[in-house]
Amino acid sequence: MSRLAAGVVLVTAQEPPLDPDDPGAPTGEDVGMTATAFLSVSLDPPLVLVSLRTGARMDELLDEQPLWAVSVLSESQRHIAGRFAMRGRVSDRLLFADIPYTRGEYSGAPLVGGALATLECRTEQRVPAGDHTLVIGRVLTARVPSAEGGPLTYFRGRYRQLG
């Protein structure tokens, strides 16, 4: 499968508040994960799919948090992809520290500034598949904040640019 080129996205979600009954309770941490197994499933209704390693932090979070977001990374955002793909990394709060982003109106999740496209999604279905979970989400919003640059791709174990 390393011979199949794939686009690179950042999947993000916000942990639910520590005490959902207390409006003054602090919100949970933002969480992000680089993914290359992301695709369109249906146009009507608009559905997308992301494949998550079972038991990964994002898999566990999306099991309890139905709202999440996706930023389609541009070729100039390789550093973001690498940062959120690291194993044994520092807290996500530090990973987001110097990345420009806005919050999604539905999900509250970070949407990366300069991304080629951003989506907000609500989980419709979770499908166990071997050592991964396929999360199918209904697209709530889709935007094209930046038309600059080409897509970041992943091929033969490395991030690449088209052309």
Side-chain angles (χ1 to χ4, degrees):
M1 295 308 296
S2 70
R3 301 295 176 137
L4 179 63
V8 182
V9 302
L10 183 67
V11 179
T12 57
Q14 188 177 58
E15 290 178 328
L18 299 176
D19 183 356
D21 298 326
D22 177 4
T27 58
E29 188 173 52
D30 292 324
V31 177
M33 183 200 88
T34 301
T36 55
F38 175 77
L39 57 104
S40 172
V41 173
S42 167
L43 294 177
D44 188 18
L47 300 173
V48 294
L49 176 148
V50 65
S51 180
L52 306 173
R53 186 175 41 82
T54 301
R57 183 170 185 201
M58 187 62 74
D59 177 45
E60 291 174 356
L61 176 56
L62 294 191
D63 193 31
E64 64 178 275
Q65 166 61 281
L67 298 171
W68 44 284
V70 174
S71 298
V72 179
L73 299 180
S74 72
E75 59 196 1
S76 67
Q77 295 175 316
R78 179 186 302 215
H79 64 287
I80 295 173
R83 180 182 296 189
F84 285 91
M86 289 187 302
R87 294 191 188 274
R89 61 191 195 198
V90 298
S91 85
D92 285 61
R93 181 176 41 80
L94 296 175
L95 296 178
F96 281 106
D98 63 346
I99 295 173
Y101 65 86
T102 59
R103 292 209 175 271
E105 62 183 294
Y106 292 101
S107 66
L111 300 169
V112 176
L116 295 179
T118 59
L119 308 169
E120 287 186 276
C121 305
R122 182 183 63 238
T123 300
E124 294 274 312
Q125 189 175 1
R126 291 173 55 86
V127 180
D131 61 358
H132 278 64
T133 302
L134 306 178
V135 179
I136 299 170
R138 180 180 294 257
V139 177
L140 304 174
T141 64
R143 293 195 170 75
V144 181
S146 175
E148 299 299 315
L152 180 62
T153 59
Y154 193 75
F155 179 70
R156 294 182 66 186
R158 293 185 31 213
Y159 296 115
R160 313 232 182 199
Q161 298 175 358
L162 291 181

